[in-house]
């Protein structure tokens, strides 16, 4: 019973942090560098997937993606699906093949952003035949992906600290 309470508390905190980060990332003129704004929620859910595994990570990714969908001009559910799949893959990779270290977190965040933004770029700009899409990609999409990957550093350390702190609280509750 005590363990269940701490697990519920952990994911309630993750949800609250995701809401706060989504609000911060969508505040106008906040955290803008070189015309790009990071998707802090994406960095956060990827970091959660690294520490919580594929199931909890995928659900957290879907929740974070849904929050991003509220502010996106893509169809509702696009980011929820993309972050769900990316966090599922991250959770599986970390459990089986890779270690949860900050460099891997940045790599996963960059890959998740490149995948989600690249698919949207393909369907919105390339298929419709816009002129010079490579300029938009290099000046719009890549800075967003790189800036979000840098946001993976504080996301990694924050999620790791919260995860370890709550694991210490859960372990005595089990014994």
């Amino acid at each position: 019973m005590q363990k269940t309470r701490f697990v519920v508390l952990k994911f309630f905190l993750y949800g609250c942090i995701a809401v706060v980060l989504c609000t911060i990332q969508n505040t106008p003129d906040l955290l803008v560098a070189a015309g790009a704004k990071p998707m802090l929620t994406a960095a956060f859910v990827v970091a959660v997937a690294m520490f919580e595994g594929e199931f909890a990570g995928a659900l957290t990714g879907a929740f974070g993606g849904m929050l991003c969908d509220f502010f996106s001009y893509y169809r509702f559910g696009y980011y929820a699906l993309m972050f769900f799949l990316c966090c599922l893959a991250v959770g599986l990779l970390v459990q089986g093949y890779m270690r949860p270290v900050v460099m891997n977190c940045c790599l996963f965040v960059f890959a998740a952003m490149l995948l989600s933004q690249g698919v949207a770029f393909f369907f919105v700009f390339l298929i419709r035949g816009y002129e010079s899409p490579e300029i938009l990609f290099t000046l719009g999409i890549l800075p967003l992906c790189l800036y979000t990957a840098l946001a993976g550093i504080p996301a990694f350390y924050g999620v790791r600290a919260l995860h370890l702190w709550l694991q210490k609280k859960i372990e005595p509750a089990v014994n």
Side-chain angles (χ1 to χ4, degrees):
M1 186 59 142
Q2 187 76 3
K3 178 183 176 187
T4 305
R5 245 187 282 171
F6 281 114
V7 171
V8 169
L9 173 67
K10 179 191 321 188
F11 287 101
F12 177 74
L13 286 173
Y14 285 157
C16 290
I17 291 169
V19 169
V20 169
L21 289 175
C22 191
T23 304
I24 290 170
Q25 84 185 19
N26 290 296
T27 302
D29 299 328
L30 187 63
L31 300 175
V32 177
K37 290 183 70 146
M39 289 187 71
L40 302 173
T41 310
F44 175 72
V45 296
V46 167
V48 169
M50 288 183 73
F51 288 101
E52 298 299 335
E54 75 278 357
F55 181 72
L59 292 180
T60 306
F63 178 72
M66 185 189 68
L67 292 173
C68 291
D69 281 330
F70 286 127
F71 297 97
S72 173
Y73 56 88
Y74 301 132
R75 294 256 184 210
F76 190 79
Y78 174 73
Y79 281 122
L81 177 63
M82 293 305 290
F83 291 168
F84 173 84
L85 294 173
C86 290
C87 289
L88 176 67
V90 166
L92 289 170
L93 282 171
V94 169
Q95 277 190 346
Y97 301 106
M98 300 180 86
R99 296 179 325 164
V101 295
V102 70
M103 197 64 188
N104 287 343
C105 184
C106 292
L107 176 71
F108 288 142
V109 171
F110 181 74
M113 289 304 298
L114 198 59
L115 179 68
S116 64
Q117 297 301 317
V119 169
F121 179 79
F122 176 76
F123 284 109
V124 173
F125 296 105
L126 285 181
I127 283 186
R128 295 183 181 165
Y130 282 83
E131 284 190 34
S132 302
E134 64 278 356
I135 294 172
L136 177 63
F137 189 80
T138 55
L139 297 179
I141 304 295
L142 280 181
L144 167 72
C145 295
L146 290 170
Y147 197 11
T148 305
L150 285 177
I153 296 170
F156 174 82
Y157 287 116
V159 170
R160 184 178 71 173
L162 183 61
H163 176 78
L164 293 175
W165 179 71
L166 287 171
Q167 282 302 112
K168 288 179 188 172
K169 300 288 184 188
I170 290 173
E171 295 300 325
V174 173
N175 296 329

